[in-house]
């Protein structure tokens, strides 16, 4: 098949769109990616790229067309708005000429925020009737309100109408969480379009190099949080749990990653004198994660207590499971149920930092064999439910049936 993937984020940025494109190409499909100039997450254009540099590439056999956009900078509201809409505008122009010069069988829109990535696909769908498969990884306008802090009813109502139109024009809605079904159906009768299409972990995590050079880990029972350090991840309550465990010098919190809440985390560590028990590693490439995970005793996944997050399965959970690691989850909903069903760790309610602290203490007293058993259960559950090869095979089946 001749497949176009539209996404604001693509290699060398680290997103699932990379796996999607390269795996479909490996399976014999002709794959084109319409994307932006790489600048996530630092907000600066990556070395080797620019407004007039590397606008067209072939990466692992995938044709990559890069659209102009304004870099996201430090991520303030106005800067993000211009980042999102500049991509939507310029990518729509690129999409018009791509549609004239190519015959695509299907368009896949890869949608972590923002939903504005759908506009180029909508144009091509209207002009050439190309079916669009909308991979919904984030619910709008809910996440705009909760994670983005937008409370203006006019803005939220506007995006409710926008997303409803996108859902209406999509051939299928691929959802990363089964809980998304109810939220999407609240906006209209889209039930027959919804298909469960979960996240997976990169092979570099599940089967990667455990000898990748990383900073020396502190001694003790290592509780590792890896990934985006943002508003949704409830760093406030992770830090409160660290305060409660401050006297236990054997328990060490390891934070790998970066994000909007990192200044808060660093200030909290200094203010509460947690430097002996909380270590901030910073951001590393995905290739380093296997090495980091190997040094951890247990992995931590958290989300704030909010209805939208209760519907969400954090992508890091699949990564933890793929690496055969036991898990402590401070969240509600489907993500928590995954940990329970897998019998791979511990679950406490979202926001319950006291229970998190007690549970970490309990976990630290488990034997090596007990932790290994939980990790083995993680991997088994991942193999049965989140293996990339099975996910992509399912996607091929979905698209081929409609074409």
């Amino acid at each position: 098949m001749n497949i176009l993937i539209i996404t604001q984020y693509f290699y060398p940025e680290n997103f699932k769109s990379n796996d999607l494109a390269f795996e479909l190409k490996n399976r014999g499909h002709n794959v084109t990616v319409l994307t932006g100039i790489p600048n996530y997450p630092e907000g600066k254009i990556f070395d080797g790229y620019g407004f007039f540099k590397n606008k067209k590439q072939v990466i692992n056999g995938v044709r990559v067309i890069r659209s102009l956009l304004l870099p996201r900078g430090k991520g303030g509201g106005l800067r993000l708005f211009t980042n999102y809409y500049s991509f939507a505008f310029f990518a729509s122009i690129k999409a018009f000429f791509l549609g004239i010069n190519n015959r695509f069988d299907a368009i896949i829109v890869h949608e972590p925020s923002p939903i504005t990535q759908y506009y180029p696909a909508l144009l091509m769908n209207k002009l050439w009737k190309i079916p669009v498969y909308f991979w919904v990884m984030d619910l709008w306008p809910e996440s705009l309100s909760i994670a983005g802090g937008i409370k203006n009813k006019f803005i939220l109502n506007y995006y409710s109408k926008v997303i409803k139109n996108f859902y209406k024009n999509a051939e299928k809605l691929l959802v990363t969480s089964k809980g998304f079904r109810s939220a999407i159906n609240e906006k209209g009768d889209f039930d027959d379009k919804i298909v469960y299409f979960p996240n997976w972990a990169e092979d570099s995590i599940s089967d990667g190099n455990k000898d990748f050079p990383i900073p020396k880990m502190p001694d003790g029972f290592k509780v590792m949080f890896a990934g985006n350090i943002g508003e949704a991840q409830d760093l406030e309550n992770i830090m409160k749990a660290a305060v409660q465990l401050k006297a236990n010098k054997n328990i060490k919190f390891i934070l790998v990653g970066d994000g909007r809440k990192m200044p808060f985390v660093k200030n909290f560590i200094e203010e509460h004198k947690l430097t002996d028990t909380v270590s901030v590693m910073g951001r590393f490439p995905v290739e380093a994660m296997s090495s980091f995970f190997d040094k951890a005793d247990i992995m931590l996944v958290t989300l704030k207590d909010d209805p939208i997050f209760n519907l969400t399965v954090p992508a890091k959970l699949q990564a933890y499971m793929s690496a055969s690691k036991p898990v402590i989850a401070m969240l509600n909903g489907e993500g928590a149920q995954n940990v329970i069903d897998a019998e791979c760790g511990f679950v406490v309610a979202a926001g319950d930092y006291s229970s998190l602290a007690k549970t970490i203490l309990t976990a630290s007293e488990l034997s090596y064999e007990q932790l290994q058993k939980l990790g083995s259960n993680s991997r088994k559950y991942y193999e049965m439910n989140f293996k990339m090869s099975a996910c992509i095979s399912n996607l091929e089946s979905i698209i081929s049936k409609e074409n």
Side-chain angles (χ1 to χ4, degrees):
M1 296 179 64
N2 195 14
I3 298 171
L4 174 64
I5 298 173
I6 297 178
T7 177
Q8 191 166 328
Y9 314 103
F10 192 68
Y11 186 89
E13 295 165 316
N14 180 32
F15 284 85
K16 291 292 187 293
S17 53
N18 301 344
D19 291 336
L20 184 66
F22 299 146
E23 181 64 16
L24 286 172
K25 177 61 182 178
N26 288 340
R27 294 181 180 217
H29 301 286
N30 184 24
V31 181
T32 300
V33 175
L34 174 58
T35 189
I37 301 170
N39 70 111
Y40 183 94
E42 290 88 352
K44 302 176 183 176
I45 295 176
F46 283 33
D47 290 342
Y49 293 87
F51 294 124
F52 305 102
K53 192 174 183 181
N54 272 330
K55 298 293 293 299
K56 294 183 179 181
Q57 297 176 287
V58 175
I59 303 174
N60 294 340
V62 172
R63 180 172 62 144
V64 181
I65 310 295
R66 297 192 183 274
S67 166
L68 290 173
L69 55 68
L70 296 176
R72 60 191 287 122
K74 294 182 179 179
L78 180 60
R79 194 65 183 263
L80 284 178
F81 179 86
T82 57
N83 173 253
Y84 294 167
Y85 276 93
S86 62
F87 173 77
F89 176 76
F90 290 112
S92 293
I93 296 173
K94 292 275 188 182
F96 176 78
F97 289 103
L98 276 172
I100 290 175
N101 297 315
N102 300 267
R103 293 193 61 181
F104 293 106
D105 299 304
I107 298 171
I108 301 170
V109 178
H110 166 257
E111 183 262 341
S113 282
I115 58 165
T116 46
Q117 297 172 86
Y118 194 94
Y119 279 115
L122 181 64
L123 175 72
M124 298 182 78
N125 174 257
K126 292 296 186 183
L127 291 178
W128 295 286
K129 307 303 179 185
I130 306 169
V132 180
Y133 300 85
F134 193 11
W135 190 7
V136 181
M137 308 178 82
D138 203 1
L139 291 172
W140 276 52
E142 293 91 336
S143 70
L144 191 65
S145 171
I146 297 158
I150 303 297
K151 304 301 180 185
N152 185 294
K153 289 186 177 179
F154 175 80
I155 294 174
L156 296 177
N157 288 336
Y158 168 76
Y159 280 108
S160 289
K161 293 177 182 177
V162 169
I163 197 64
K164 184 176 180 179
N165 185 46
F166 290 169
Y167 290 161
K168 180 180 177 181
N169 285 277
E171 190 75 23
K172 292 292 180 184
L173 304 173
L174 311 175
V175 296
T176 55
S177 168
K178 294 175 183 177
F180 280 13
R181 182 179 292 271
S182 59
I184 289 173
N185 280 327
E186 286 177 3
K187 300 174 179 65
D189 184 13
F190 301 115
D191 200 63
D192 61 336
K193 294 186 175 187
I194 299 172
V195 179
Y196 179 52
F197 186 66
N199 275 307
W200 56 82
E202 292 85 351
D203 289 342
S204 59
I205 293 176
S206 58
D207 305 309
N209 174 22
K210 293 181 173 59
D211 295 321
F212 192 98
I214 61 172
K216 187 178 185 302
M217 296 288 105
D219 295 329
F221 183 79
K222 292 176 277 295
V223 182
M224 184 174 291
F225 176 99
N228 184 40
I229 297 178
E231 291 291 340
Q233 285 72 37
D234 200 6
L235 272 300
E236 292 91 344
N237 283 312
I238 294 176
M239 290 295 99
K240 288 178 182 178
V243 170
Q244 291 200 351
L245 293 168
K246 179 180 176 180
N248 190 324
K249 301 299 183 182
N250 180 56
I251 295 175
K252 304 296 172 65
F253 287 80
I254 313 293
L255 305 182
V256 182
D258 202 353
R260 293 171 65 182
K261 293 296 287 186
M262 185 53 79
F264 159 80
V265 170
K266 290 181 177 179
N267 289 336
F268 193 100
I269 292 171
E270 184 176 349
E271 180 182 348
H272 292 85
K273 297 179 171 56
L274 296 174
T275 52
D276 288 343
T277 56
V278 181
S279 299
V280 175
M281 296 288 113
R283 182 184 294 115
F284 284 81
V286 67
E287 292 79 12
M289 292 304 104
S290 182
S291 190
F292 272 111
F293 290 6
D294 185 55
K295 304 297 188 296
D297 292 291
I298 200 161
M299 305 301 297
L300 177 62
V301 56
T302 58
L303 283 175
K304 284 187 173 180
D305 183 15
D306 190 277
I308 185 177
F309 297 141
N310 294 345
L311 303 176
T312 301
V313 179
K316 62 167 57 68
L317 180 57
Q318 284 95 340
Y320 294 170
M321 288 180 163
S322 76
S324 304
K325 303 305 295 187
V327 176
I328 294 180
M330 184 175 66
L331 45 74
N332 299 330
E334 190 172 338
Q337 192 61 48
N338 283 167
V339 176
I340 293 169
D341 291 345
E343 299 181 347
C344 67
F346 306 87
V347 172
V348 302
D352 189 353
Y353 64 88
S354 291
S355 292
L356 176 61
K358 292 175 184 176
T359 302
I360 290 173
L361 185 60
T362 298
S364 72
E365 295 170 350
L366 294 179
S367 67
Y368 175 81
E369 289 74 21
Q370 288 172 310
L371 290 171
Q372 287 290 101
K373 174 61 176 174
L374 293 175
S376 176
N377 289 348
S378 267
R379 180 68 188 195
K380 288 177 183 176
Y381 194 83
Y382 173 81
E383 292 278 354
M384 291 177 61
N385 296 276
F386 303 125
K387 192 73 173 171
M388 183 179 73
S389 58
C391 292
I392 301 298
S393 293
N394 184 35
L395 178 63
E396 286 181 301
S397 176
I398 293 166
I399 293 176
S400 63
K401 286 178 182 176
E402 304 298 327
N403 289 277

